[in-house]
Amino acid sequence: MDRLTNTVRPYAWGSTTAIPELIGEQPTGEPQAEMWMGAHPGAPSRLARGTLDAVVAADPEGELGAATVTKFGPRLPFLLKLLAAGAPLSLQVHPNLDQAREGFADETERGVPIDAPNRNYKDANHKPELICALTPFDGLCGFRAPADAARLLDGLGVGSLKPYVDLLSAHPEEAALREVLTAVLTADTAEMAATVTEAAAAAERLGGEYAPYAAIARQYPGDSGVIAAMLLNFVQLAPGEAMFLGAGVPHAYLDGLGVEIMANSDNVLRCGLTPKHIDVPELLRIVRFEATEPGVLRPEADESGEEVYETPTDEFRLSRFVLAEGSQPRVLTAPTPQILLCTAGSVRAGDELLTAGGSVFVPAGDEAFVSGNGTLFRATVAV
């Protein structure tokens, strides 16, 4: 196995303290949003043998295993992260696989540069993802039932929101959600800013279930995404709980530290809470306009003590071990590659002693003997 050296991405929404506190370093005062573990070309992990993307490219079948290469090609199909949100991320959705392929081919054919700010599809892959909380973690996930969204908006007492309340109350679910989101995103910018300002003041005054949206408005004053966010379910995860985000489901992370795993893709369509490009027609093609209950996942333990977060995705499988001092070493082996990440205490993985934030890459078929007193996350491929 190989110890990984990983890059921390300093996105503006990142917490200045959460990752440094986890790994036992002094904060720099700058945001530290995501630590990437994987072979993504944007910030590949480094091994003694070179960068992980180069190591995989040199011997795909040896590093990834035949099953992974057959199904996903000669690349690591997942990206593992530590994610530390100190402010809300953009409200967003991800395409399914067919939509990603179509969108990538269309933009490529039209000559849209891959790094253009108005490009939606950076690759031809989908981006299902799972976030597992290490601290209390707040987010938004999926549409509320139209009647519940109407009640929430109406309770603000803002006259300019009345047309949205009426639409939500008068139409079937899919039409109601589609019409209101479309209206919010295409409204006159100045008029919407005034509405958001009034709504934010009301949310501050009312508190309670309005408090998360008041906090969002403080970060993004006048942004139409504040109203769009009120159409979504507010979710609070306790440490150890997780949330799966499939294609077409609008979502945003608001606050907290977690372990995130996703298919290896950069495809994001934004709905608000961002200064970046919003392609409304393409967004409306991708969003699934249906009310959902935000399913909170809790791991299921097998006889070996491995706690698995079950998802319908083949690109990744995330599990957790809570190890106790003096317990028997476990042998972790798989026909697919593994990344092991320690998030608490200290864990020995082979010859490597991992403390919080430490990680190793285990090539397909290799054995990893793990023991210690701490928490270890295991990321691999579900094939």
Side-chain angles (χ1 to χ4, degrees), residues 259-273:
V259 173
E260 185 183 38
I261 190 167
M262 62 183 62
N264 205 348
S265 171
D266 277 338
N267 289 325
V268 175
L269 289 110
R270 295 175 176 85
C271 317
L273 309 182

Side-chain angles (χ1 to χ4, degrees), residues 8-23 25-35 82-89 135-137 219-220 253-258:
V8 175
R9 309 305 293 265
Y11 304 134
W13 49 262
S15 167
T16 59
T17 58
I19 289 178
E21 286 176 358
L22 180 79
I23 64 179
E25 294 184 357
Q26 286 297 315
T28 64
E30 299 297 318
Q32 298 189 33
E34 296 181 346
M35 177 187 288
L82 281 173
L83 183 146
L89 282 68
T135 66
F137 195 98
Q219 294 286 336
Y220 295 97
Y253 301 147
L254 303 179
D255 183 71
L257 175 67

Side-chain angles (χ1 to χ4, degrees), residues 22-62:
L22 180 79
I23 64 179
E25 294 184 357
Q26 286 297 315
T28 64
E30 299 297 318
Q32 298 189 33
E34 296 181 346
M35 177 187 288
W36 287 20
M37 289 155 279
H40 192 286
S45 297
R46 297 178 298 284
L47 299 69
R49 297 185 282 153
T51 61
L52 186 53
D53 57 341
V55 167
V56 169
D59 183 11
E61 194 158 310

Side-chain angles (χ1 to χ4, degrees), residues 1 321 323-324 327-333 338 340-341 346-352 354 360 362 367-373 376-378:
M1 70 182 67
F321 292 90
L323 303 172
S327 59
Q328 284 292 104
R330 291 170 169 79
V331 182
L332 306 185
T333 185
Q338 305 177 73
L340 308 179
L341 166 67
S346 61
V347 175
R348 183 165 292 281
D351 294 332
E352 300 289 345
L354 304 179
V360 295
V362 185
E367 292 182 333
F369 291 83
V370 300
S371 61
N373 185 20
L376 185 76
F377 279 85
R378 181 193 195 194

